[in-house]
Amino acid sequence: MSNTEARPAEVRCGAGEDGAPAVGVEILTARDVPLGGPRAMKVRRTLPQRARTLIGAWCFADHYGPDEVPESGGMNVAPHPHIGLQTVSWLFSGVIEHRDSLGSHAFVRPGEVNLMTGGHGISHSEVATPDTTVLHGVQLWVALPSEHRDTAPDFQHHVPAPVALDGGEARVFLGTLAGDTSPVGTFTPLLGAEVTLDPGATVSLDVDPGFEHGVLVDSGDIRLDGTVVRPAELAYAGPGRRALTLTNEAPAAARLVVLGGPPFPEEIIMWWNFVGRSHDEIVEARADWENDTGRFGRVEGYPGDRLPAPVLPNATLSPRRNPRPQAP
């Protein structure tokens, strides 16, 4: 998915100053962002924001739906570029058609993960299929570490099997949780999983104490280690925990997405669909896209023009650190 804001904000991301773990649970609220056009489907963006710009290497989280496609027009994102990141697509309902400049033609379906590596440069399009009436899911980005940010582009697809929990179920699309490990390759240790909780259930998930974690609630009245997390909110828990205790206080099943990874040790600059390390790197990537130098290839089969790049801000893009983690 593209960051299709007409005037994207400069987002400057980085690790804490001393690498120490964080205190308690932070609640990050979302802001609404239109996905382009006068009848645009709106997404709820919880990462990045000023309060926190990274959770592990996760640098971007959009949560959308349930969106009534006949009313909103659904998702139709024209070919657009990426560098320095991996995109992770995960749906709860609906189907999205993916095409990229590698020649990949795939579909994102509920319970199936598509991971695309931008690396040095890739372009892709995303369109809801004609028979999709309700679109609902999350779109996530992962920052690539410096040694791999110019890697060759790639595309992976995986269908995780459901894992039974005592009071729910998990589908692990990245990393390891509840005894299941995803085969999808990443360049830093990561966790990504959909978790459903039965009505009134409490589930304790063993996690890596070196990871920081985010819990994005899709539905249900959830408590994370006793802290209330409402639908569309993202709860942040710093390193040091060996378990995440999740309680569903609702009379209906609840659904959430658990993200995790070790604190990202590098400063990055994210602007539009690019993750880089310097202002000049972002300027060069934008120019390569606008001038069609071949760096991003071509997306075949999309019935329309590609997206133009927004105008750069009249300022030098520079990194900004996350809040300093504290001991739990």
Side-chain angles (χ1 to χ4, degrees):
M1 184 184 294
S2 168
N3 177 10
T4 53
E5 294 174 272
R7 300 181 65 85
E10 173 194 353
V11 180
R12 299 168 296 173
C13 317
E17 294 176 8
D18 57 12
V23 168
V25 174
E26 292 178 31
I27 301 299
L28 307 177
T29 57
R31 61 189 177 96
D32 289 342
V33 177
L35 203 59
R39 296 174 62 237
M41 184 182 83
K42 288 185 178 179
V43 299
R44 297 176 290 276
R45 184 161 298 162
T46 47
L47 280 181
Q49 57 177 271
R50 292 190 181 278
R52 183 157 300 279
T53 50
L54 284 160
I55 297 178
W58 297 102
C59 63
F60 182 94
D62 274 356
H63 173 218
Y64 53 90
D67 180 76
E68 300 291 339
V69 172
E71 298 176 9
S72 71
M75 182 183 296
N76 187 344
V77 184
H80 57 278
H82 288 289
I83 66 165
L85 56 81
Q86 293 180 299
T87 66
V88 180
S89 302
W90 184 260
L91 282 176
F92 306 132
S93 63
V95 181
I96 296 172
E97 185 177 21
H98 164 99
R99 298 177 185 269
D100 65 39
S101 53
L102 293 173
S104 309
H105 180 206
F107 293 88
V108 187
R109 296 183 175 89
E112 304 181 5
V113 66
N114 280 2
L115 182 145
M116 186 183 74
T117 300
H120 183 68
I122 198 171
S123 57
H124 72 137
S125 63
E126 296 157 298
V127 181
T129 57
D131 59 346
T132 293
T133 57
V134 177
L135 199 57
H136 189 187
V138 293
Q139 178 68 37
L140 310 162
W141 293 358
V142 176
L144 293 175
S146 284
E147 63 182 314
H148 297 295
R149 75 180 192 273
D150 283 325
T151 192
D154 190 27
F155 180 82
Q156 300 174 71
H157 175 82
H158 173 56
V159 184
V163 178
L165 306 172
D166 185 11
E169 187 177 82
R171 285 177 168 81
V172 184
F173 51 84
L174 289 181
T176 298
L177 187 70
D180 189 43
T181 298
S182 168
V184 177
T186 60
F187 293 87
T188 57
L190 288 173
L191 170 62
E194 176 188 315
V195 175
T196 55
L197 299 178
D198 297 337
T202 294
V203 171
S204 185
L205 299 172
D206 292 337
V207 294
D208 189 326
F211 282 20
E212 51 190 1
H213 292 88
V215 174
L216 176 60
V217 175
D218 176 62
S219 61
D221 296 327
I222 299 297
R223 286 184 180 269
L224 169 60
D225 295 345
T227 299
V228 174
V229 193
R230 298 178 177 85
E233 292 181 338
L234 176 63
Y236 169 82
R241 286 172 171 78
R242 296 185 178 276
L244 299 176
T245 300
L246 299 163
T247 299
N248 175 21
E249 299 186 329
R255 179 166 54 201
L256 48 94
V257 174
V258 179
L259 307 174
F264 198 70
E266 303 175 33
E267 293 183 337
I268 65 174
I269 298 173
M270 188 164 74
W271 179 84
W272 194 38
N273 301 310
F274 303 143
V275 172
R277 298 299 186 278
S278 70
H279 174 88
D280 290 345
E281 184 180 353
I282 300 297
V283 170
E284 180 182 17
R286 182 189 182 279
D288 285 344
W289 175 250
E290 288 296 278
N291 296 327
D292 197 9
T293 63
R295 174 178 179 177
F296 298 100
R298 292 186 179 277
V299 177
E300 301 295 340
Y302 178 82
D305 296 330
R306 62 186 199 158
L307 283 178
V311 176
L312 281 160
N314 188 26
T316 299
L317 304 176
S318 58
R320 183 185 70 199
R321 294 179 180 272
N322 260 341
R324 184 178 65 182
Q326 302 172 18

